[in-house]
């Protein structure tokens, strides 16, 4: 029914209804249904942003990225003086604040380094506040310099998330470049730049890499979120 509605030009109406249904399910503490509706919502948005999350061909392309070329392009995009080697991606997964989790994924020279992934059970935020959750995760991550520090941190979100993380990173940690990637608009907000960079204006491999970081951080946060819900965890 939703597919027919979207193909009939009713995309906005369908998305609005999914959002209402998701909020209603969360209000009734039917978190499993709310999670499914959220995934439907994100899936539809991804389709219209030409973002095929599960396409095997796209995954193969991500794994075969030429990092020497991509890394140089990202360095130029950021205006960085040093080469970009370690990239960390962060995402938050929650439904109305319940069983909220945060993820940190790590890429070394363009490849995911899963042994260095970290997951966070949100402890200090008790309502649906994505920005506050991002700040908690970043504070806790910065308390572990033994993990090594990134050359670039990529946050899931837009300008608000970028500003929030900036407050946690600065002053100090000036060697870490910071960017936020907005899902719906596919825009990259880069610290120090007023105008966001649309992903469709950067080289295809650079676009693919940023999407890879975003998708992997989302997958990892969502997986842990589902596990906590199954265990009945609540903040």
């Amino acid at each position: 029914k939703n597919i027919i509605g979207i193909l009939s030009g009713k995309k906005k109406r369908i998305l609005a209804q999914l959002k209402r249904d998701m909020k209603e399910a969360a209000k009734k503490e039917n978190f499993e249904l709310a999670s499914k509706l959220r995934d439907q919502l994100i899936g539809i948005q991804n389709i219209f942003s030409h973002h095929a999350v599960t396409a095997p061909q796209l995954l193969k392309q991500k794994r075969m990225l030429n990092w020497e070329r991509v890394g140089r392009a990202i360095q130029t995009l950021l205006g960085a003086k040093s080469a970009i080697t370690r990239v960390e991606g962060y995402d938050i997964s929650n439904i109305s604040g319940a069983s909220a989790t945060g993820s940190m994924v790590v890429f070394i020279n363009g490849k995911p380094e899963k042994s260095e992934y970290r997951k966070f059970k949100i402890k200090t935020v008790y309502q649906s506040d994505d920005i506050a959750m991002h700040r908690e995760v970043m504070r806790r991550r910065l308390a572990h310099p033994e993990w090594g520090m990134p050359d670039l941190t990529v946050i899931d979100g837009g300008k608000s998330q970028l500003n929030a993380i900036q407050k946690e990173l600065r002053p100090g940690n000036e060697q870490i470049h910071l960017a936020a990637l907005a899902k719906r608009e596919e825009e990259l907000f880069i610290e120090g730049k007023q105008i966001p960079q649309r992903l469709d204006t950067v080289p295809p491999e650079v676009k693919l890499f940023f999407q890879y970081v975003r998708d992997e951080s989302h997958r990892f946060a969502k997986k842990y979120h589902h596990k906590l819900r199954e265990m009945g965890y609540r903040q």
Side-chain angles (χ1 to χ4, degrees), residues 172-185:
N173 303 299
E174 274 73 20
Q175 80 282 7
I176 302 175
H177 294 273
L178 178 61
L181 180 54
K183 281 192 185 80
R184 186 177 302 176
E185 297 82 6

Side-chain angles (χ1 to χ4, degrees), residues 105-166:
V105 298
V106 179
F107 285 70
I108 305 294
N109 292 325
K111 303 292 184 182
E113 189 63 50
K114 295 190 177 183
S115 64
E116 298 196 32
Y117 284 17
R118 299 291 184 269
K119 53 193 177 186
F120 302 85
K121 186 187 299 181
I122 300 300
K123 299 178 179 179
T124 64
V125 184
Y126 304 98
Q127 55 188 354
S128 186
D129 188 337
D130 179 82
I131 292 174
M133 292 178 185
H134 265 302
R135 293 191 67 173
E136 178 191 326
V137 168
M138 186 53 59
R139 282 195 299 271
R140 290 166 61 186
R141 187 269 175 266
L142 291 173
H144 292 278
E146 72 275 11
W147 294 349
M149 288 298 182
D151 302 301
L152 170 62
T153 291
V154 181
I155 304 295
D156 175 70
K159 188 68 173 177
S160 297
Q161 284 79 6
L162 179 76
N163 290 340
I165 297 305
Q166 191 176 27

Side-chain angles (χ1 to χ4, degrees), residues 7-223:
L7 294 177
S8 302
K10 300 176 182 177
K11 183 185 75 170
K12 289 185 178 179
R13 187 184 304 175
I14 297 296
L15 291 175
Q17 186 61 52
L18 282 171
K19 288 179 181 178
R20 287 194 294 270
D21 292 345
M22 182 182 72
K23 290 179 180 179
E24 184 64 24
K27 186 177 180 181
K28 294 179 179 178
E29 297 190 354
N30 188 342
F31 298 116
E32 183 175 358
L33 175 59
S35 179
K36 289 181 179 178
L37 292 169
R38 180 197 58 192
D39 291 345
Q40 285 184 24
L41 185 65
I42 293 173
I44 292 171
Q45 291 169 341
N46 284 336
I47 288 170
F48 281 89
S49 64
H50 309 288
H51 177 212
V53 177
T54 60
Q57 186 176 4
L58 183 57
L59 182 59
K60 183 179 180 180
Q61 290 175 347
K62 289 175 179 177
R63 290 172 174 169
M64 295 179 65
L65 287 171
N66 183 323
W67 183 248
E68 185 176 353
R69 183 166 57 238
V70 174
R72 283 200 305 267
I74 292 176
Q75 184 179 349
T76 300
L77 181 64
L78 298 173
K81 296 180 180 179
S82 303
I84 303 300
T85 300
R86 180 186 175 102
V87 178
E88 293 181 359
Y90 294 83
D91 194 12
I92 299 295
S93 184
N94 82 98
I95 300 174
S96 298
S99 305
T101 61
S103 68
M104 167 185 140
V105 298
V106 179
F107 285 70
I108 305 294
N109 292 325
K111 303 292 184 182
E113 189 63 50
K114 295 190 177 183
S115 64
E116 298 196 32
Y117 284 17
R118 299 291 184 269
K119 53 193 177 186
F120 302 85
K121 186 187 299 181
I122 300 300
K123 299 178 179 179
T124 64
V125 184
Y126 304 98
Q127 55 188 354
S128 186
D129 188 337
D130 179 82
I131 292 174
M133 292 178 185
H134 265 302
R135 293 191 67 173
E136 178 191 326
V137 168
M138 186 53 59
R139 282 195 299 271
R140 290 166 61 186
R141 187 269 175 266
L142 291 173
H144 292 278
E146 72 275 11
W147 294 349
M149 288 298 182
D151 302 301
L152 170 62
T153 291
V154 181
I155 304 295
D156 175 70
K159 188 68 173 177
S160 297
Q161 284 79 6
L162 179 76
N163 290 340
I165 297 305
Q166 191 176 27
K167 292 177 181 177
E168 297 297 329
L169 283 176
R170 319 294 186 220
N173 303 299
E174 274 73 20
Q175 80 282 7
I176 302 175
H177 294 273
L178 178 61
L181 180 54
K183 281 192 185 80
R184 186 177 302 176
E185 297 82 6
E186 292 289 270
E187 290 180 331
L188 188 69
F189 292 82
I190 300 172
E191 184 181 20
K193 295 188 178 184
Q194 294 297 321
I195 301 175
Q197 182 84 41
R198 290 191 58 84
L199 285 189
D200 57 13
T201 66
V202 302
E205 281 191 308
V206 174
K207 173 183 177 180
L208 202 58
F209 175 71
F210 278 110
Q211 289 176 330
Y212 195 3
V213 175
R214 188 262 314 281
D215 295 346
E216 188 68 352
S217 61
H218 175 70
R219 179 197 67 79
F220 196 53
K222 181 180 171 183
K223 180 180 178 181

